[in-house]
Amino acid sequence: MYEDIKNYVETNKKATLIAVSKTKPAEAIEAMYRKGQKRFGENRVQELIEKYEILPKDIEWHLIGSLQKNKVKYIAPFITMIHSCDGLSLAQIISKEALKNNRRIKVLLQVKIADEETKQGYEISDLMADLENGEITTLPGIEICGLMGMASFVDDKAQIAHEFRTLKGIFEDVKKQFFSNQESFKELSMGMSGDYEIALDEGATMVRIGSALFGAR
Ligand SMILES: *Cc1c(COP(=O)(O)O)cnc(C)c1O
C-alpha cells in the first residue's frame, strides 16, 4: 500500500508525499520510515513533540493542523514546514520564534476553499489584504513556500475538482502578484486520502495522506 501510493505520488505525479501520522503510534511511523518515508504530518503540537523526541532526527515534520500562537515555541526548534498559517499575527509569532532558534521556518498560507463552516484558513479577501499590506511577505523568520487547502468532505468529485482548481488559480495569481521573483513560492498542498488523485490532477505539489497509508483512525 505504502509503495503503491508513494510511487503514484512521487514517481508518476512528481509531487511530495506527506504521510499523516496523527493518532498513530511511533512504532507505525518508524515502520514506514524504514521503508524510506522521511516526511510526516501531525496536527497536534503535544503529540508531535512526543514523537519528535523518540523518533529518528532526520524525519521532516510537517504541522498540518490549526496552531495556537502560544504553542509555536515548542515546535520552532525543529519543524520543517507549517502548512496551516492563516493570519498575520500567527505568521509574526512563527517568525519571532524561528529567529530565536536561528532558523527560518517554511510556511504555507492555508486558504479556505471548502463550502463548509468548519474549515480553517484564510478567507480569500483576507489573504489578499495581508499580501497587499506586505508585512507578511517581509517577516525575516519565515519563508512563504505556497498555499494549502482542503476540499469539502463530499462525494461529488466535480465539486472537489472545482475547489482544487479554484485554489490552483489563487496560487497562480498570488505567485504572479507577490512572489514573482521568489523561486521558493512553489508548493500547493492539497489532497488527502479521499481526494488526492483529484488534487494531483489539479496541480497539487504536496499531498497529505493519512488513513490510506496507516489505516482508519
Ligand atoms: C488528518 C488530515 C489529513 C489526512 O487525512 P486522511 O483523510 O486520513 O488522509 C490531511 N490534512 C489535514 C489538514 C488533516 O488534518
Side-chain angles (χ1 to χ4, degrees):
M1 200 72 222
Y2 167 70
E3 280 81 4
D4 291 347
I5 293 177
K6 175 92 171 173
N7 268 331
Y8 181 72
V9 172
E10 300 205 333
T11 309
N12 203 333
K13 295 292 186 175
K14 309 287 180 231
T16 301
L17 173 64
I18 311 297
V20 175
S21 47
K22 64 190 187 196
T23 78
K24 298 296 173 182
E27 295 73 43
I29 300 174
E30 201 170 350
M32 202 172 287
Y33 170 85
R34 279 196 245 102
K35 293 180 185 168
Q37 181 63 22
K38 292 281 150 63
R39 302 182 181 94
F40 292 90
E42 289 282 335
N43 70 338
R44 290 218 169 79
V45 167
Q46 185 57 39
E47 187 179 339
L48 170 56
I49 293 165
E50 286 166 13
K51 290 172 175 174
Y52 166 74
E53 279 170 2
I54 59 175
L55 284 160
K57 290 296 172 285
D58 64 335
I59 287 179
E60 272 192 18
W61 293 103
H62 292 247
L63 199 280
I64 61 169
S66 66
L67 176 57
Q68 285 172 271
K69 294 179 186 114
N70 62 353
K71 294 195 174 159
V72 175
K73 59 177 175 285
Y74 301 116
I75 60 170
F78 69 88
I79 196 79
T80 293
M81 183 179 272
I82 295 172
H83 291 229
S84 43
C85 182
D86 60 0
L88 175 60
S89 57
L90 178 59
Q92 287 167 327
I93 288 169
I94 297 169
S95 176
K96 192 175 89 184
E97 295 298 332
L99 293 178
K100 280 190 199 163
N101 289 281
N102 296 308
R103 304 185 65 215
R104 221 171 150 215
I105 295 176
K106 295 182 195 304
V107 306
L108 303 179
L109 302 177
Q110 183 176 352
V111 185
K112 184 170 147 48
I113 49 168
D115 144 37
E116 288 165 10
E117 290 288 317
T118 52
K119 292 290 187 319
Q120 314 109 249
Y122 265 110
E123 296 289 344
I124 293 159
S125 55
D126 295 335
L127 172 70
M128 292 304 173
D130 271 4
L131 290 167
E132 269 154 26
N133 163 287
E135 183 178 344
I136 198 163
T137 56
T138 58
L139 293 170
I142 64 169
E143 180 173 41
I144 299 177
C145 295
L147 303 181
M148 184 273 238
M150 290 164 89
S152 302
F153 288 112
V154 293
D155 291 328
D156 182 351
K157 289 193 160 64
Q159 181 182 343
I160 295 169
H162 177 77
E163 290 173 359
F164 286 147
R165 204 168 305 150
T166 300
L167 184 59
K168 169 77 169 170
I170 298 165
F171 172 83
E172 294 299 341
D173 287 349
V174 164
K175 185 174 172 64
K176 191 160 149 224
Q177 269 196 68
F178 303 103
F179 296 95
S180 56
N181 52 9
Q182 273 172 252
E183 268 176 47
S184 52
F185 190 92
K186 62 177 186 198
E187 303 293 357
L188 188 52
S189 169
M190 58 185 197
M192 311 177 19
S193 292
D195 57 19
Y196 69 90
E197 287 151 307
I198 304 172
L200 289 164
D201 287 342
E202 298 299 337
T205 67
M206 286 184 156
V207 290
R208 309 174 311 272
I209 301 182
S211 46
L213 292 171
F214 287 102
R217 284 183 298 275

